[in-house]
Amino acid sequence: MDNLAQPLALTLGHLYPEQLNLYGDRGNIVTLRHRCLLRGIELRVVGLGVGDALAPDAYDMLFIGGGQDKEQAPVAQDLYEMKGIGLWAAIEDNMPVLAVCGGYQLLAHYYRPAEGPDMRGLGVFDAWTIHKGPRVPRCIGDVAISWNGMTLVGFENHGGRTYLGSSKPFGKVLKGNGNNAEDGTEGAIYRNTFGTYLHGSLLPKNPHFADHLLTLALQRKYGDQLLLNEEPTNYTGYTETPAREVAAVLVPQTVTVKETVNILEPLDDTLEWEAHASMLEQLGLYTEATQVMRTD
Ligand code: GLN
């Protein structure tokens, strides 16, 4: 990273920080900022509320959190009328976007809440969400999924069930409900836009995915100037990634792991992996898997 005159800087647009911020979603921003800070990268965070236009060129990455049905309704209208064109332009230009729960639902075709009219979504994901009504139990609890040959852990609380059309799932449920507690899929992916039900917040306990988002944003902004070395390695330079050890036990070997370029200096994520491990343990997912992580 030293071959660049200016210190690296990224701008993150935080959509609807007041309306969509459940179960610690803001923690994702704190994590991204912290992981940048430790590498001398500046992360500017700009809040975009109802009524604010979205100029895609002003941002390098975007985040939208979750919210209750009553908070989603005004957001859905604003997203469609005020930010739709700018957001689509950013997404089609491979900007990394993380959309959690209620925000994820509004990036699909529509959300049919427990009460009230359907909320029109942006249709980024070929998917739709139906709330099965107050009598059907919500999807609540800790979750573990497999993503790209590794594990992700988090917490979910949603009444809506999401069904995928042609969109690729973000991950496969190892423990929990995921999109609809029926088909084992979790979330959705379109280009570098990731939709997921994982709150918690997601990124503190999943440093490999946090760095994946940062790597995508840096690579999109600075291109190959940043390459630490030519050899593409596994995510973010972790050769002995504990996640891989666990994945080797948990995730079927049929999963092809997509390597990304090596841009970010590895950080000491002992605490993060401990938190990851303890959630896997709580979920009864192979204690020996966590043993592997602990011994590393
Ligand atoms: N209100 C939506 C639902 O219940 C989303 C909830 C959330 O963002 N946690 O499904």
Side-chain angles (χ1 to χ4, degrees):
M1 285 198 262
D2 312 334
N3 50 357
L4 283 167
Q6 299 298 320
L8 300 179
L10 292 172
T11 304
L12 182 150
H14 184 181
L15 277 64
Y16 312 108
E18 303 314 316
Q19 294 83 3
L20 299 184
N21 178 38
L22 278 183
Y23 314 117
D25 287 341
R26 202 184 287 276
N28 292 312
I29 311 272
V30 176
T31 299
L32 291 169
R33 184 182 268 151
H34 183 64
R35 299 185 73 79
C36 282
L37 192 69
L38 292 175
R39 289 144 168 161
I41 303 167
E42 187 199 351
L43 183 70
R44 302 177 200 128
V45 178
V46 178
L48 291 137
V50 170
D52 295 336
L54 193 161
D57 299 347
Y59 307 98
D60 302 301
M61 53 195 319
L62 297 168
F63 173 72
I64 179 170
Q68 297 175 46
D69 292 5
K70 65 178 176 3
E71 278 125 10
Q72 286 174 281
V75 162
Q77 191 174 354
D78 181 84
L79 199 58
Y80 197 83
E81 289 162 7
M82 277 300 292
K83 299 182 181 50
I85 295 169
L87 189 48
W88 258 117
I91 288 171
E92 290 295 355
D93 190 30
N94 292 322
M95 184 181 297
V97 178
L98 175 61
V100 174
C101 205
Y104 158 43
Q105 294 168 340
L106 296 179
L107 291 191
H109 293 306
Y110 65 86
Y111 171 40
R112 182 162 300 156
E115 280 135 33
D118 285 4
M119 299 178 204
R120 184 172 42 183
L122 277 190
V124 171
F125 302 125
D126 178 18
W128 54 95
T129 305
I130 296 169
H131 193 302
K132 302 219 170 171
R135 285 203 203 80
V136 178
R138 293 176 66 80
C139 298
I140 299 181
D142 290 338
V143 195
I145 67 170
S146 64
W147 163 73
N148 206 33
M150 295 180 273
T151 49
L152 295 176
V153 294
F155 168 78
E156 62 182 337
N157 183 343
H158 53 106
R161 267 77 169 164
T162 298
Y163 300 91
L164 301 181
S166 60
S167 281
K168 238 179 68 179
F170 174 48
K172 197 168 155 302
V173 174
L174 297 169
K175 249 310 159 35
N177 299 285
N179 278 334
N180 50 48
E182 295 161 30
D183 61 13
T185 65
E186 202 295 306
I189 296 183
Y190 175 72
R191 291 182 178 271
N192 290 334
T193 297
F194 303 89
T196 178
Y197 274 115
L198 272 61
H199 285 286
S201 48
L202 170 67
L203 300 182
K205 291 185 280 299
N206 301 290
H208 49 322
F209 186 60
D211 283 354
H212 180 61
L213 293 172
L214 292 173
T215 300
L216 291 172
L218 287 166
Q219 206 194 351
R220 179 174 172 274
K221 180 170 182 180
Y222 294 100
D224 293 343
Q225 297 173 57
L226 297 180
L227 279 185
L228 281 178
N229 54 46
E230 294 313 312
E231 285 314 301
T233 61
N234 58 15
Y235 279 127
T236 61
Y238 293 149
T239 46
E240 298 304 320
T241 54
R244 276 197 192 292
E245 305 281 340
V246 169
V249 179
L250 293 174
V251 181
Q253 289 317 298
T254 51
V255 173
T256 47
V257 176
K258 186 162 69 51
E259 304 296 354
T260 63
V261 291
N262 180 4
I263 285 179
L264 293 166
E265 307 292 337
L267 297 175
D268 171 4
D269 287 327
T270 311
L271 204 58
E272 288 79 357
W273 287 117
E274 279 293 339
H276 190 108
S278 67
M279 272 200 76
L280 289 172
E281 210 157 11
Q282 277 165 40
L283 289 164
L285 281 170
Y286 291 98
T287 44
E288 64 273 20
T290 48
Q291 285 318 316
V292 168
M293 290 178 75
R294 290 254 161 87
T295 49
D296 244 35

